Amino acid sequence: MTAIDMPAPAKGPLSLPVFRALWIATIISNIGTWMHDVGAGWLMTSLSPSPLLVALVQAATTLPMFLLALPAGALADIVDRRKMLLSAQVLGLTAAAVLAFLTFQGLTTPWVLLAATFVLGVAAALSAPVFQAIVPELVDKATLPDAVALNSLGVNISRAIGPALGGVIVAMAGVPAVFALNAMSVSAVLIVLVTWKRATIVQSLPPEHFFGALRAGYRYAWHSPAMRLVLIRTLGFFLFSSALWAMLPLVGRRELGLDAAGYGALLGCMGTGAIVGALLLKHLRKKVASNRVSVWATLLFAAATLALALAPNAWLAGAVMFAAGVAWIGMLTSLNVAAQMASPGWVKARALAVYLLVLQGAMTGGSILWGTLASNTGVAGALIIAAIGQTLAILLALRWRLPKDSTIDLAPSNHWAEPVLAIPLADDRGPVLVEIEYRIAPEQQAAFTATLRKFGATRYRDGAIRWDIWEDAAEPGRVVEEFVVESWSEHLRQHARVTHSDALDQELLNAFHIGDQPPVVRHLLRPL
């Protein structure tokens, strides 16, 4: 990253030319995506009367993210992120153009529409983790929350413009025109990516293998308490909030009797609410804890879902969607910031991919669930049940509270000493057993062991595949921590992964150690 790419601490994220250009281009592309969503949802209500098929349009959009988010995140952490983004955008452009052509020719069936929407979802799934992961490359840590909020604001600016514009174009020129404009909108992002001169990041270690990177991503998400908290809260919110998205085309067309423009206006109301919510959130975040914001947002979204089920006319439904937009941006930004802050650079794309996987998996499963339920109980019944479930999900905030924006420092600390070797080792030599021998006063041994057990998650999170503690039966106070990693190169990566937060935890452990020498570290390998 060059000096010109990094903003001064006092400036906002939009002072960075690359961030600003990519932000504007993404808004343009997202406007096209929202126009597609309006066209696809509206077209499906014309092609099939089935509530399940209408809900499957939403599922086809979100399922690729569930299936591909983590593989895409693993790729984003081991390949050139700019090239990966370019490939994904070309795929999206191709799928949108083919769908536009088929629809112009009158060849689009429900299953063709679902297939094309699925491929567009694949392109989005390949792009999303990379877009999330490159944000910290473009802004400093102090402005990262503002950058995340700006990205959410950009999405919702698109949501305010795209659906309304898409509805008008569907009414005036037909669904094929919307699909064609979506294809054209992708070119904005392509232009920025082609002109972006991303700095080459020099790695001292060989790149991770794909499947090893996948395992490391899962391992980190499972053993990081901060990330696990975000995932639980994400599942609780989006499983129930997906009902509003899945049922909205049916509410607009069947319950309210709207045309395509009216349906687009409903989505536009939600986008406008999200913009207002983002502006309010910038000030609220300085005064109100993220967890409290998430509780208010969940309550408001549950109320909006219930009100949409009972809305007697389009005017009230528009007001309800405005409130839903305010709530949506409040929860989405709170979760996005928490996920960004919980993931260090070495695994950021994979950790954020797991977050997106849970988010989109909840949206996909929820869409199918609410579509099936609506087929039996009616649209209003499904929305009422979802609103009740969302209200109950607030209980998660009592046990898993979202942290403040900067409670942990995940920057690399490089505080591990370099291993002492008698002979050079091949990178793929392994497995490697690492032993750390502590000398503890016998009366402090129980307290030390309890503290060390809490540290075990850190070893797993950074790459260990096995971890344990042993005490010497013949020599009280001699405690050995051991962990196993897959290879010598993976252990060297552990050295680069430890953070300043880990260093503080290590200081707590070392405070128990007695003697003039530090804890003894040994590296043992299985004989060849």
Side-chain angles (χ1 to χ4, degrees):
M1 189 183 307
T2 62
I4 194 171
D5 288 336
M6 289 298 297
K11 298 180 181 179
L14 291 178
S15 65
L16 174 68
V18 176
F19 179 88
R20 183 174 63 247
L22 194 57
W23 185 73
I24 294 171
T26 304
I27 289 175
I28 294 172
S29 179
N30 284 338
I31 288 173
T33 299
W34 282 107
M35 291 169 60
H36 165 87
D37 288 350
V38 170
W42 197 255
L43 180 59
M44 185 60 85
T45 62
S46 302
L47 295 174
S48 171
S50 169
L52 180 57
L53 277 176
V54 174
L56 283 179
V57 174
Q58 175 69 28
T61 301
T62 55
L63 181 60
M65 193 70 72
F66 177 73
L67 297 175
L68 299 176
L70 188 56
L75 281 175
D77 279 331
I78 61 179
V79 304
D80 188 303
R81 290 173 177 172
R82 173 179 166 274
K83 292 179 180 178
M84 184 173 172
L85 278 175
L86 280 168
S87 300
Q89 297 306 301
V90 169
L91 176 63
L93 174 61
T94 303
V98 169
L99 179 60
F101 174 78
L102 292 176
T103 309
F104 270 118
Q105 298 299 316
L107 301 176
T108 300
T109 66
W111 296 107
V112 168
L113 178 60
L114 289 174
T117 300
F118 182 84
V119 176
L120 286 167
V122 169
L126 294 174
S127 300
V130 197
F131 271 124
Q132 296 256 17
I134 64 173
V135 174
E137 292 186 29
L138 304 177
V139 301
D140 59 20
K141 183 178 179 181
T143 54
L144 180 59
D146 286 339
V148 172
L150 270 173
N151 280 340
S152 296
L153 176 62
V155 169
N156 289 289
I157 289 173
S158 306
R159 181 179 288 136
I161 298 172
L165 183 59
V168 170
I169 293 173
V170 168
M172 295 179 61
V175 172
V178 166
F179 293 160
L181 288 172
N182 178 39
M184 294 173 61
S185 71
V186 179
S187 61
V189 176
L190 281 171
I191 291 171
V192 175
L193 292 175
V194 168
T195 57
W196 177 27
K197 305 300 181 184
R198 182 173 182 253
T200 302
I201 299 176
V202 179
Q203 300 285 357
S204 58
L205 293 170
E208 296 179 73
H209 297 296
F210 176 72
F211 291 106
L214 276 179
R215 291 193 297 272
Y218 274 122
R219 195 161 50 227
Y220 182 87
W222 181 253
H223 291 287
S224 168
M227 180 57 70
R228 195 164 60 242
L229 176 153
V230 173
L231 300 181
I232 292 170
R233 295 294 303 280
T234 299
L235 178 63
F237 179 78
F238 288 102
L239 179 63
F240 296 102
S241 66
S242 62
L244 184 144
W245 292 104
M247 296 294 101
L248 191 60
L250 294 171
V251 171
R253 185 159 196 161
R254 295 187 184 179
E255 308 299 325
L256 301 176
L258 301 177
D259 59 10
Y263 170 60
L266 278 184
L267 285 171
C269 288
M270 187 173 188
T272 303
I275 293 172
V276 173
L279 297 175
L280 292 173
L281 192 63
K282 184 175 182 179
H283 301 287
L284 273 178
R285 206 169 52 236
K286 300 174 183 177
K287 302 176 182 179
V288 182
S290 295
N291 197 65
R292 182 171 295 181
V293 171
S294 72
V295 170
W296 291 351
T298 303
L299 276 173
L300 181 57
F301 201 91
T305 302
L306 178 61
L308 185 65
L310 305 175
N313 56 62
W315 292 103
L316 184 56
V320 167
M321 294 301 293
F322 179 90
V326 174
W328 181 267
I329 193 65
M331 192 64 177
L332 190 63
T333 300
S334 297
L335 290 171
N336 280 353
V337 170
Q340 285 276 4
M341 293 298 181
S343 51
W346 69 270
V347 74
K348 187 168 289 289
R350 281 166 284 181
L352 293 174
V354 173
Y355 160 67
L356 292 172
L357 183 152
V358 173
L359 188 160
Q360 298 295 347
M363 292 287 286
T364 301
S367 296
I368 297 172
L369 170 65
W370 305 120
T372 303
L373 194 61
S375 298
N376 297 305
T377 66
V379 173
L383 289 172
I384 291 170
I385 294 171
I388 294 171
Q390 188 130 66
T391 303
L392 294 176
I394 293 175
L395 295 175
L396 296 175
L398 301 178
R399 172 65 178 83
W400 291 281
R401 303 175 64 87
L402 293 180
K404 295 181 180 179
D405 288 348
S406 57
T407 53
I408 52 177
D409 186 354
L410 297 182
S413 61
N414 300 310
H415 67 275
W416 283 12
E418 288 296 315
V420 177
L421 302 176
I423 56 173
L425 295 177
D427 289 333
D428 60 353
R429 181 80 183 273
V432 180
L433 170 65
V434 181
E435 292 185 349
I436 307 173
E437 180 182 313
Y438 298 91
R439 297 286 177 167
I440 309 299
E443 65 274 13
Q444 291 290 316
Q445 188 163 324
F448 170 76
T449 302
T451 303
L452 185 55
R453 288 192 187 282
K454 296 178 183 178
F455 202 56
T458 300
R459 304 300 192 206
Y460 281 117
R461 187 195 68 194
D462 287 346
I465 58 176
R466 196 178 77 223
W467 177 89
D468 214 336
I469 308 172
W470 304 89
E471 59 182 32
D472 194 331
E475 189 176 348
R478 179 175 177 266
V479 180
V480 177
E481 175 194 8
E482 68 170 32
F483 57 89
V484 177
V485 291
E486 293 177 340
S487 66
W488 183 247
S489 61
E490 186 66 8
H491 177 59
L492 294 180
R493 291 189 186 100
Q494 283 186 301
H495 281 251
R497 291 169 180 172
V498 289
T499 67
H500 288 290
S501 181
D502 297 335
L504 295 176
D505 292 337
Q506 188 70 57
E507 288 178 7
L508 292 177
L509 293 175
N510 291 345
F512 286 95
H513 182 74
I514 58 177
D516 297 331
Q517 300 299 318
V520 177
V521 181
R522 302 183 184 90
H523 300 86
L524 309 176
L525 295 100
R526 185 171 294 163
L528 295 173

